[in-house]
Amino acid sequence: MKFGYFDDANREYVITSPRTPYPWINYLGTQGFFSLISNTAGGYSFYKDARLRRITRYRYNNVPIDMGGRYFYIKDGETIWNPGWSPVKTELDAYECRHGMGYTIITGKKNDLKAEVTFFVPQNYDGEVQQVVLTNEGSSSKEFSLFSFAEWCLWDAQDDCTNFQRNYSTGRVEVVGSTIYHKTEYRDRRDHFAFYTVNDTIDGYDTDRDAFIGLYNGFHNPEAVMAGKATDSFADGWSPIASHYKKITLAPGESKTLVYILGYVEMPADQKFEADGKTINKVKALKMIEQYDTPEKVAAGMAELKAAWDKLLGILNVETPDDKVNRMVNIWNQYQCMVTFNLSRSASYFESGIGRGMGFRDSNQDVLGFVHQIPDRARERIIDIASTQFPDGGCYHQYQPLTKKGNADIGGDFSDDPLWLILSVSAYIKETGDWTILDEMVPYDNDMSIAQTMLEHLKVSFYHIVNNLGPHGLPLAMRADWNDCINLSCYSDTPGESFQTYTNPKFAAEGGYSKIAESVMVATLFTYTGPNYVAILKHLGKDDEAAKAQAEIDKMKANIMESAFDGDWFLRAYDAEGKKMGSKECEEGKIFIEPQGFAVMSEIGKEEGADIKTLNAIDKYLNTDFGLVLNNPAFTKYYVQYGEISTYPGGYKENAGIFTHNNAWIICAEAYAGRGDKAFEYYSKIAPAFTEETSDIHKTEPYVYGQMIGGKDAGSDIGKPGNHFGQGKNSWLTGTAAWNMVAISQYILGIAADFDGLRIDPSIPAAWDGLSAKREFRGATYDIKVTNPNHVCKGVKAVTVDGNAIEGNVLPAFGDGKTHTVEVTMG
Ligand code: BGC
Ligand code: NOJ
């Protein structure tokens, strides 16, 4: 069942029913000011950091779902309604929500009155603009009132939902004309305030929540709206809000446009107040208000936003025989990658914006998805991340975007972290050809006095693995590897201990983690990532170092074949007692997905057929109708030696859920192995556009990936297998976005930036006649046409550039600003 449709020409998903199976959201903003907005206008705004600069309040885990947002209430006679249906939930005569690139347009119609609200954050602007167009589509005149509504959060989102004894007594506002200013703590220790304004006179306002809503009412029946009149309340402590009240009369056919702005302002400490020392100095705010105080200015802002996205999405454009692939690659997957660049794992409808800042491994992997769109910002981001690394190559696992300092509460010792830096730096160089990033002086632990070049950071990353091997010569698992929930040194039996940070005393003497437990996944990630480091060294003419590094990779491969190939697939790990995890010998969790794809792409044991055996085992044991489960059979007991993974009911999260992130690694591996049909089968099982028809099962947005989909064992705990099988969760902020972008564009469609040019090597369904693509790359445009006359999955027979045949399948970097015609024949 569908709840809308793709409007590809406008790059929008159009939702036609407000009752989506879960709130379907969008993101506004790309620089400092961000908003989350659902299809019923729920959500909230923040500046840069969703925890420390939360501007409006939101209630996670609320009943009913999705409470808190920017709401417009219309009182037309006795009927009260919202253009986005919620929170009043009056049945509308028409409803539509268009989620587009950085904007959302919600239109509702009731009793001949149409309200179209456009929400967006303009480029380089710290505010959300909301344009309300009201049209009387009836044949008689209409008189009604319009109330706006936003609820202020008291800045620190964590404190805001816990510290009520203080927070009920701190709220402060100012009201001047049609602008309501939120200035809690501004006088004392904050140099920022927020405002909510409208470009017209108003007939009243409210700034106190209890006065507007009423203590025993809700967002669905605010007292002031029901009474048809604002109370002009002035918040003093308790819960400050902002609501404008306006009486409107429209003749038949007449329209009225109002522009509201929710803005954020920072002031230099010595310019915070007017001469009286307490009234806000509004110079900056008024300038912001003036920037968008007419519909013409709004239209110009929207046009500028659109032009920015045209540019970002113009860099890679494909035309394949499958519309769903085209809309994922050209629009939504790239869009989601930009959102993960901006937000990492901080704020979504599943991530509260409080707990997690930027992850070392997460943000490095995100780079793979957006580096072609914003290489300069990717460079900056990579340097920020690398700056939190330790001199020995270990890394802080997370940092806060506001401070950019490593987060000491979480600490380090995640075994996979350093490797992702090698991958992101390589991706950046492959895209841009800018080798100077390697010369950049980058601090360790944010301390510039011990800075080293980025190349040195790569070296310590590489050798951090080599220097931390266990008894089988495989990398130590440490606190966890990519799978945060395999915690082989934790042995936690006490509620509340964090599986990621708790140190079991039995390993205290060994430095906090077992020196026995080893991760096969990190081993194969090392053999997959390492060759990039070798290629970099060779390019720099450091042949001795390159040979030394290559020898370590070869040794690791041998160790893996010696101790970690289980006959038909690769083991997952050795636990702290030296026992195999992810083996035929195990009672549960016999096979895991994570090490396999990297092993295949590293060609480990290829000569003995290990690659194909492994891929076939995945198909046999992990493949389901909705994607590949992470492990099989699911754990049905708590295994203290494995940690968090076995705390989840089977089919959820890391315990045999369909973790879409690592599905991509198998898609890449199948494509790499030349099995384009299989690669595409797996791709199309999880790619959001393919889930659209079954949105009633999949539940989350059909335009973006979620972190997981319920696996085949979902529900098995309650004796109803398949209960939530196929149900998506944790949409938007996931490494799945970047990795599936890599899987489809680089491995399946086969257009991949490489150190020495643009490599074309498709691995597609045999049935396809070919594909075409436009790719901007290092200052030139490549107009690529691939034909597949013999209907093979993989194999490039001939390539011509501007009519001339070239050797091999790597297109040179022309850098001449021109368009080059490329013809690729498969066979
Ligand atoms: C989740 C993981 C997540 C981790 C972050 C765990 O509880 O299951 O998916 O990466 O927390 O700390
Ligand atoms: C989500 C985390 O953001 C990511 O870092 C981790 O790799 C996966 N969960 C798997 O545990």
Side-chain angles (χ1 to χ4, degrees):
M1 190 178 162
K2 302 206 307 179
F3 294 83
Y5 60 93
F6 285 95
D7 177 347
D8 294 336
N10 286 310
R11 297 192 186 120
E12 292 172 339
Y13 192 77
V14 188
I15 301 167
T16 49
S17 162
R19 290 181 178 84
T20 44
Y22 204 75
W24 285 1
I25 75 165
N26 194 11
Y27 285 85
L28 316 178
T30 53
Q31 280 119 341
F33 190 102
F34 292 97
S35 296
L36 281 68
I37 181 165
S38 73
N39 58 308
T40 58
Y44 59 92
S45 304
F46 59 92
Y47 179 73
K48 283 193 181 165
D49 187 317
R51 171 170 177 180
L52 300 174
R53 291 287 187 282
R54 188 75 65 97
I55 296 168
T56 52
R57 189 175 278 162
Y58 187 74
R59 289 169 177 74
Y60 277 93
N61 202 8
N62 196 74
V63 179
I65 198 166
D66 198 19
M67 277 300 122
R70 63 295 271 159
Y71 296 132
F72 289 98
Y73 293 91
I74 292 169
K75 183 166 194 295
D76 178 10
E78 285 315 299
T79 309
I80 298 174
W81 59 283
N82 309 106
W85 178 65
S86 189
V88 177
K89 299 189 181 128
T90 297
E91 283 311 316
L92 300 178
D93 297 335
Y95 161 90
E96 184 187 85
C97 167
R98 290 179 171 265
H99 283 319
M101 305 288 104
Y103 66 88
T104 288
I105 304 172
I106 296 179
T107 309
K109 209 167 118 178
K110 184 76 189 171
N111 300 340
D112 292 332
L113 180 61
K114 181 169 128 187
E116 180 190 279
V117 192
T118 302
F119 303 88
F120 75 112
V121 173
Q123 294 291 98
N124 305 306
Y125 189 74
D126 293 334
E128 177 181 309
V129 174
Q130 308 163 348
Q131 175 172 271
V132 184
V133 183
L134 299 152
T135 308
N136 179 359
E137 295 191 335
S139 50
S140 50
S141 155
K142 260 193 181 298
E143 244 177 73
F144 57 94
S145 0
L146 176 70
F147 298 79
S148 67
F149 175 81
E151 183 179 13
W152 302 116
C153 180
L154 304 178
W155 304 116
D156 178 336
Q158 165 83 35
D159 192 68
D160 185 72
C161 54
T162 46
N163 193 7
F164 304 106
Q165 59 80 26
R166 169 172 163 82
N167 292 341
Y168 282 160
S169 299
T170 57
R172 282 202 167 102
V173 297
E174 250 178 68
V175 182
V176 182
S178 301
T179 308
I180 297 161
Y181 295 88
H182 175 227
K183 58 171 191 176
T184 301
E185 293 186 344
Y186 182 68
R187 193 200 58 186
D188 326 313
R189 294 180 297 173
R190 291 187 182 274
D191 58 4
H192 43 264
F193 63 89
F195 64 85
Y196 194 31
T197 190
V198 56
N199 69 339
D200 205 340
T201 56
I202 52 176
D203 297 298
Y205 62 84
D206 271 294
T207 68
D208 178 73
R209 191 182 73 202
D210 292 344
F212 180 74
I213 290 186
L215 198 50
Y216 293 99
N217 290 38
F219 291 132
H220 66 291
N221 60 354
E223 269 179 10
V225 178
M226 302 225 308
K229 198 171 165 359
T231 72
D232 293 352
S233 59
F234 202 83
D236 188 14
W238 295 107
S239 295
I241 59 150
S243 173
H244 308 92
Y245 161 60
K246 175 116 189 120
K247 287 191 269 192
I248 299 171
T249 306
L250 291 179
E254 194 189 353
S255 274
K256 179 166 182 66
T257 301
L258 292 159
V259 184
Y260 295 77
I261 301 171
L262 177 72
Y264 170 86
V265 182
E266 278 180 2
M267 294 297 286
D270 56 348
Q271 293 168 35
K272 281 168 66 172
F273 304 105
E274 288 182 5
D276 66 1
K278 55 182 187 191
T279 311
I280 301 177
N281 170 356
K282 307 190 178 65
V283 176
K284 237 169 134 182
L286 293 175
K287 225 168 138 200
M288 274 182 76
I289 291 171
E290 204 195 299
Q291 266 181 279
Y292 289 99
D293 59 358
T294 66
E296 292 71 30
K297 292 181 187 173
V298 169
M302 279 289 280
E304 207 188 324
L305 181 68
K306 192 175 173 303
W309 278 104
D310 281 349
K311 192 156 171 264
L312 288 175
L313 299 178
I315 295 160
L316 169 64
N317 245 270
V318 302
E319 179 78 39
T320 76
D322 194 318
D323 282 350
K324 296 190 176 91
V325 173
N326 301 341
R327 65 174 62 112
M328 286 314 312
V329 176
N330 298 337
I331 307 171
W332 293 100
N333 201 167
Q334 295 204 61
Y335 183 61
Q336 186 177 2
C337 286
M338 287 298 287
V339 173
T340 61
F341 161 69
N342 288 319
L343 281 308
S344 189
R345 306 294 172 271
S346 67
S348 73
Y349 267 28
F350 298 85
E351 301 277 11
S352 66
I354 291 174
R356 298 162 70 192
M358 316 292 286
F360 193 96
R361 79 158 78 93
D362 296 329
S363 294
N364 272 312
Q365 289 174 83
D366 292 346
V367 166
L368 309 181
F370 65 75
V371 63
H372 62 288
Q373 291 174 299
I374 45 166
D376 295 346
R377 294 185 80 188
R379 190 183 205 274
E380 214 180 289
R381 172 64 54 81
I382 294 169
I383 291 170
D384 282 351
I385 303 170
S387 305
T388 65
Q389 191 172 29
F390 299 114
D392 73 349
C395 319
Y396 275 112
H397 195 50
Q398 288 176 11
Y399 69 96
Q400 279 304 123
L402 218 53
T403 62
K404 296 189 177 173
K405 295 246 161 65
N407 183 347
D409 295 343
I410 311 286
D413 293 336
F414 288 76
S415 49
D416 62 319
D417 273 337
L419 289 174
W420 303 113
L421 181 66
I422 298 180
L423 215 52
S424 69
V425 172
S426 308
Y428 170 77
I429 298 173
K430 288 175 182 176
E431 181 61 39
T432 59
D434 170 18
W435 293 84
T436 67
I437 189 172
L438 297 170
D439 306 327
E440 199 74 42
M441 291 301 284
V442 181
Y444 288 117
D445 199 2
N446 284 103
D447 180 352
M448 208 53 204
S449 73
I450 48 170
Q452 284 288 350
T453 61
M454 183 64 95
L455 181 64
E456 191 63 23
H457 279 259
L458 299 192
K459 182 173 182 183
V460 295
S461 296
F462 185 88
Y463 285 99
H464 191 261
I465 307 299
V466 175
N467 295 336
N468 288 283
L469 301 178
H472 301 91
L474 302 169
L476 291 173
M478 305 189 173
R479 290 190 182 282
D481 59 26
W482 172 89
N483 190 329
D484 286 314
C485 302
I486 297 183
N487 320 107
L488 303 179
S489 298
C490 205
Y491 285 80
S492 175
D493 55 9
T494 305
E497 283 166 357
S498 157
F499 286 102
Q500 279 78 43
T501 58
Y502 172 66
T503 299
N504 192 293
K506 72 194 229 184
F507 299 113
E510 295 178 63
Y513 51 83
S514 156
K515 295 282 156 49
I516 301 285
E518 297 167 298
S519 165
V520 179
M521 188 248 169
V522 177
T524 63
L525 183 61
F526 176 76
T527 59
Y528 172 78
T529 312
N532 288 289
Y533 177 57
V534 173
I536 287 172
L537 292 172
K538 282 194 182 149
H539 175 92
L540 299 176
K542 296 178 187 287
D543 290 341
D544 291 350
E545 272 190 65
K548 197 174 147 228
Q550 185 59 49
E552 294 295 350
I553 296 170
D554 295 341
K555 191 151 71 174
M556 186 70 79
K557 286 189 184 181
N559 294 348
I560 293 170
M561 273 322 275
E562 167 93 22
S563 309
F565 189 59
D566 205 38
D568 288 303
W569 60 81
F570 293 87
L571 298 179
R572 180 62 179 85
Y574 280 98
D575 69 18
E577 288 171 30
K579 294 205 180 107
K580 291 176 183 171
M581 180 184 194
S583 159
K584 289 183 178 129
E585 293 165 20
C586 301
E587 194 192 327
E588 300 184 320
K590 290 173 189 284
I591 170 169
F592 281 74
I593 199 168
E594 299 106 315
Q596 321 298 345
F598 297 126
V600 170
M601 291 187 279
S602 308
E603 304 189 357
I604 299 172
K606 186 172 188 244
E607 51 301 337
E608 298 153 49
D611 57 344
I612 299 301
K613 277 190 198 162
T614 297
L615 291 173
N616 289 344
I618 290 170
D619 194 8
K620 183 160 172 202
Y621 298 109
L622 303 181
N623 194 8
T624 76
D625 286 350
F626 298 109
L628 303 168
V629 296
L630 191 145
N631 55 299
N632 191 57
F635 295 114
T636 61
K637 297 179 258 192
Y638 178 51
Y639 293 79
V640 73
Q641 71 273 31
Y642 294 162
E644 182 170 345
I645 187 166
S646 57
T647 64
Y648 293 108
Y652 294 107
K653 297 269 300 160
E654 285 87 343
N655 184 16
I658 295 162
F659 230 79
T660 47
H661 186 146
N662 52 42
N663 275 229
W665 300 336
I666 305 304
I667 299 169
C668 293
E670 286 285 4
Y672 183 88
R675 311 203 309 177
D677 283 313
K678 254 296 154 212
F680 193 75
E681 176 198 323
Y682 295 157
Y683 173 76
S684 57
K685 279 182 174 167
I686 60 165
F690 291 81
T691 68
E692 190 195 18
E693 302 283 343
T694 49
S695 286
D696 47 328
I697 299 171
H698 186 70
K699 292 204 190 308
T700 53
E701 297 92 334
Y703 40 92
V704 290
Y705 285 96
Q707 180 198 52
M708 65 150 285
I709 297 169
K712 64 185 168 52
D713 303 288
S716 55
D717 255 34
I718 50 168
K720 285 187 188 169
N723 212 18
H724 292 292
F725 182 28
Q727 182 182 312
K729 256 190 208 158
N730 201 352
S731 53
W732 284 97
L733 301 183
T734 160
T736 306
W739 269 105
N740 276 284
M741 189 65 206
V742 169
I744 185 67
S745 61
Q746 300 183 24
Y747 282 84
I748 295 182
L749 305 183
I751 304 164
D754 211 334
F755 289 116
D756 46 4
L758 191 63
R759 182 180 302 275
I760 312 293
D761 193 10
S763 191
I764 52 177
W768 284 12
D769 291 329
L771 62 112
S772 51
K774 189 202 121 198
R775 176 70 152 89
E776 286 173 15
F777 176 70
R778 300 197 204 166
T781 303
Y782 298 74
D783 220 325
I784 305 163
K785 190 160 175 50
V786 178
T787 49
N788 187 19
N790 300 328
H791 289 278
V792 296
C793 284
K794 192 173 177 172
V796 168
K797 206 163 65 180
V799 181
T800 65
V801 179
D802 299 324
N804 305 314
I806 64 159
E807 265 306 296
N809 59 349
V810 180
L811 312 174
F814 292 108
D816 57 4
K818 297 197 180 124
T819 298
H820 299 273
T821 308
V822 179
E823 299 203 351
V824 178
T825 313
M826 294 177 68

